[in-house]
Amino acid sequence: MSKSEKVSQHRTRQASPRSVLPFKMTDSTMSLISKVAAETGVYAVVASSRDTKILCLQRFVRLFAYGASFLILAHFLSGLGFSEEKTGIFMTLTLLGDVVISFVLTTVTDKVGRRLVLAVGASAMAMSGLVFYLSSNYWILLLASVLGVISPSGNEIGPFRAVEESVLAHLNAKEEHSDIFAWYTLFGTAGAALGTLSCGWMVQLLGAREGWTLHDAQRTVFLLYAALGAVKLVLNSVLSSSVELDAGYHEIANELDEEEGEGQTGSRTSVSRLSLPQRVRHLIPHISAASRAILFRLIFLFAMDSFASGIASPSWLTYFFTTVHSLKPSTLGTLFLVSNILGSVSNLVALPVARRIGPLKTMVFGHLPSTVFLALIPFPPADTQLGTGLSMTFLALRACTQSVDQAPRQAFLAAAVLPGERTAVLGVVNIVKTLSQAGGLGIMGVLAGQRMWVVSLAGAGLMKATYDLLLLWMFLGVQERERGGN
C-alpha cells in the first residue's frame, strides 16, 4: 500500500463528524454539519498531520508581517524624502533581489533540506525588519530589502511558498490537495487581514501619542516585523523530518529521463566520487520534458498576471486611497481587513465549485469578475464621499473573487507535475511571478508620479482578464500526472 493511500485511510477514520464534534446532535443536524464540513475542507484540515498544521500557522505569521509592513511601506519611504519614482525603483530592486535568492534556494531545496531553506528565509526576514527599524539610509534599506525578506506588495516573496506548497502536496493525499491548499491560503489571508488592521490602528494610536511622530510609529511596525520573523524561525524548528523529500523521488525522475532519451550516464554514480562541478550539478533537480512543456506555458501566463498584480499591488492601492481619497490609516486598515475577510470566504466557496467543475474552470470563471472591479476602482471622483465610497466598494467586490483561483491553482500545479519536480517547478513559477511583479511595481512608480491611475489600474484589470481566458484555452483538457507517470 502506498504512503498516500495509508494517509487517506487514516484520515478517513479520524475525520468523521462524531470525532470532530464533542457533543451529541440529531442525525439530520449531524448530516448537515457533516456535509458543510466536508465541502469546506474542515475534516481534511482537522485530520491532517502536525507538520501540515505548523506550515499553515507559519503562513499565518508570515502574512501577518507582510500585511502590517506593506500598509506603511510606501509612506515610510516617502517620509524619508524619497520620491514616487525612487520608491518604485526600491520596490522593483527588492523583488529582483528576491528572484535571485529564491532561485538559488528553491533550486537546491530538495537536496540540502527543506527545513534548512525555510530557516534561512525566516532569519533573513527578521534581519530585514531590524535594519528597517534602525536605519534611514536609502542604500542600506535597499540592501537589507534585496538580501533579506521585505514584501513591497503584501504578497508572498522569498522561497517560503514554493517550498511549503511542495511539502503540503507531499504530506497529503491527492484527493485532499484542494482542501488543504484552500485552508493554507485562508490562513495567509487571515494573517494579512489582521496584519493590516493591527498596523493601521497601531500607527494611528502611536502617532497620536505625545512625543511621537507618524514616522516613528511606522518605524515601530518593522520591529514587530522582525519579531514575527523570529517566531517563524521557532515554528520552523519543530517541523519533523517527514517534510523532507524521499530519496526515491529522485530515482523516479532519473528513470523518466532515461525513457525520454535524455538521461545522463552516471546519474546513479555515488556523489562522493563526483568532481566539484558535478556535485554542484547534482544539486539541481531534474524536470521531465512533459513538465517543461507545461512550465513554459505557465511562465508566459503567470508573467502577464503578475505584471498586472505589480501595478495593482496592495502597496500602490494603499497609496492611491491615502493620496487620492485621503483615507486615514485606521480606515485603510479596516478596509483591507474587510477585503481579506471576503477573500477568505471566497476561498472556501471555491472548494465545492472546484469539485464539480474542476480546478481550472474554477480558477478562470471565479477570478474574472475581480478583474472588472479592479478596472473600475480609479473611475469614481475623489472629491465626493459617494465617489470614495464607490471606490472602496469596488475594492471590496474585487476581493470577493480575487482569491477564488488560489487554492484551485495550487492543486492544479501540484497535479500537473511529478512529486520530485514540484519544489523546482513551483520555485521557477514563483520566481517568474516575482520578476514580472517587480516590473509592474517599477512601472507603477512612474505612473503614480504622473497620477495616471485610470491608465494603470484599468490596464491591470484588462491584463488579468486576458490571463484568465488564455489560461482556460491553453490548459483545458490537461490530465493529472500520477507519481511515476508520464
Side-chain angles (χ1 to χ4, degrees):
M1 183 180 294
S2 68
K3 177 182 176 181
S4 62
E5 289 173 337
K6 290 179 180 178
V7 171
S8 182
Q9 284 188 6
H10 174 68
R11 288 174 183 169
T12 300
R13 292 193 297 268
Q14 280 191 329
S16 63
R18 298 185 187 280
S19 66
V20 175
L21 296 174
F23 48 87
K24 294 182 178 180
M25 304 190 73
T26 63
D27 290 340
S28 59
T29 304
M30 182 70 73
S31 176
L32 177 61
I33 293 176
S34 176
K35 184 176 181 180
V36 172
E39 290 287 355
T40 55
V42 172
Y43 291 152
V45 175
V46 170
S48 65
S49 66
R50 174 173 168 270
D51 288 324
T52 296
K53 295 181 178 71
I54 292 174
L55 288 172
C56 289
L57 183 57
Q58 283 198 42
R59 180 169 166 84
F60 174 87
V61 172
R62 184 170 69 254
L63 267 294
F64 187 101
Y66 291 170
S69 62
F70 93 82
L71 194 68
I72 51 94
L73 181 60
H75 284 280
F76 176 76
L77 296 175
S78 177
L80 292 174
F82 308 142
S83 65
E84 286 91 347
E85 288 79 5
K86 291 189 73 173
T87 298
I89 293 173
F90 185 98
M91 293 181 180
T92 298
L93 292 178
T94 296
L95 291 182
L96 290 178
D98 174 67
V99 166
V100 176
I101 294 174
S102 295
F103 176 76
V104 173
L105 291 179
T106 56
T107 298
V108 302
T109 291
D110 288 334
K111 296 295 179 69
V112 303
R114 292 168 170 175
R115 288 173 292 179
L116 176 60
V117 169
L118 291 174
V120 170
S123 301
M125 182 177 169
M127 179 274 293
S128 299
L130 283 175
V131 173
F132 269 71
Y133 175 70
L134 297 172
S135 177
S136 298
N137 182 275
Y138 181 86
W139 299 108
I140 293 177
L141 292 176
L142 180 60
L143 183 64
S145 188
V146 169
L147 297 181
V149 180
I150 288 287
S151 176
S153 63
N155 297 323
E156 280 282 17
I157 63 169
F160 305 113
R161 183 171 182 173
V163 177
E164 289 174 353
E165 288 180 357
S166 182
V167 172
L168 291 174
H170 169 66
L171 292 176
N172 297 278
K174 183 184 68 176
E175 306 79 39
E176 298 169 344
H177 284 175
S178 292
D179 293 341
I180 296 298
F181 283 134
W183 280 90
Y184 172 76
T185 303
L186 179 62
F187 271 86
T189 306
L194 292 176
T196 55
L197 179 67
S198 301
C199 175
W201 283 102
M202 178 179 175
V203 168
Q204 185 158 324
L205 292 175
L206 289 178
R209 296 182 62 181
E210 185 177 353
W212 282 71
T213 66
L214 184 62
H215 190 73
D216 293 333
Q218 292 171 345
R219 192 180 291 276
T220 306
V221 172
F222 290 106
L223 185 61
L224 173 63
Y225 188 95
L228 291 171
V231 171
K232 188 182 182 311
L233 185 61
V234 172
L235 289 173
N236 185 76
S237 68
V238 297
L239 288 172
S240 74
S241 59
S242 299
V243 305
E244 306 294 352
L245 184 67
D246 296 337
Y249 285 128
H250 300 298
E251 297 176 4
I252 291 171
N254 288 334
E255 291 171 4
L256 285 173
D257 192 36
E258 292 171 0
E259 291 175 3
E260 294 163 0
E262 299 176 11
Q264 297 180 4
T265 59
S267 62
R268 300 181 185 180
T269 302
S270 173
V271 177
S272 62
R273 299 179 183 178
L274 298 177
S275 64
L276 181 59
Q278 288 174 322
R279 291 187 186 189
V280 174
R281 176 65 184 85
H282 182 75
L283 289 173
I284 302 175
H286 170 82
I287 299 178
S288 63
S291 294
R292 287 197 297 270
I294 292 173
L295 179 59
F296 292 146
R297 284 181 281 174
L298 290 174
I299 285 175
F300 168 72
L301 292 172
F302 286 148
M304 180 190 301
D305 179 57
S306 296
F307 183 82
S309 295
I311 292 176
S313 69
S315 290
W316 284 121
L317 285 173
T318 298
Y319 194 74
F320 166 76
F321 276 104
T322 53
T323 58
V324 176
H325 291 279
S326 303
L327 292 187
K328 295 180 179 179
S330 58
T331 304
L332 197 60
T334 304
L335 172 61
F336 277 92
L337 170 68
V338 173
S339 298
N340 283 314
I341 290 175
L342 292 174
S344 300
V345 173
S346 70
N347 272 318
L348 296 182
V349 173
L351 284 177
V353 177
R355 291 192 185 96
R356 287 160 177 78
I357 68 175
L360 181 62
K361 293 179 181 178
T362 305
M363 290 163 59
V364 174
F365 298 128
H367 187 252
L368 267 174
S370 70
T371 66
V372 177
F373 293 124
L374 170 61
L376 293 175
I377 289 175
F379 284 99
D383 54 355
T384 65
Q385 289 187 348
L386 177 61
T388 298
L390 280 175
S391 288
M392 295 171 65
T393 301
F394 289 144
L395 180 67
L397 289 174
R398 181 204 177 201
C400 290
T401 57
Q402 179 186 4
S403 302
V404 166
D405 66 325
Q406 290 190 22
R409 179 170 57 197
Q410 292 157 340
F412 171 76
L413 289 174
V417 297
L418 298 173
E421 304 168 341
R422 282 179 187 143
T423 303
V425 169
L426 291 173
V428 171
V429 167
N430 284 337
I431 286 167
V432 170
K433 290 169 65 177
T434 302
L435 190 62
S436 302
Q437 191 177 77
L441 284 166
I443 292 296
M444 189 58 186
V446 177
L447 296 176
Q450 300 297 320
R451 301 296 184 264
M452 299 176 66
W453 298 108
V454 173
V455 172
S456 56
L457 297 181
L462 179 61
M463 280 188 283
K464 283 182 167 291
T466 304
Y467 151 79
D468 286 329
L469 297 177
L470 286 177
L471 183 70
L472 182 64
W473 176 60
M474 288 186 178
F475 286 98
L476 189 63
V478 171
Q479 301 297 316
E480 294 183 356
R481 302 178 67 201
E482 300 291 340
R483 174 176 175 174
N486 294 320

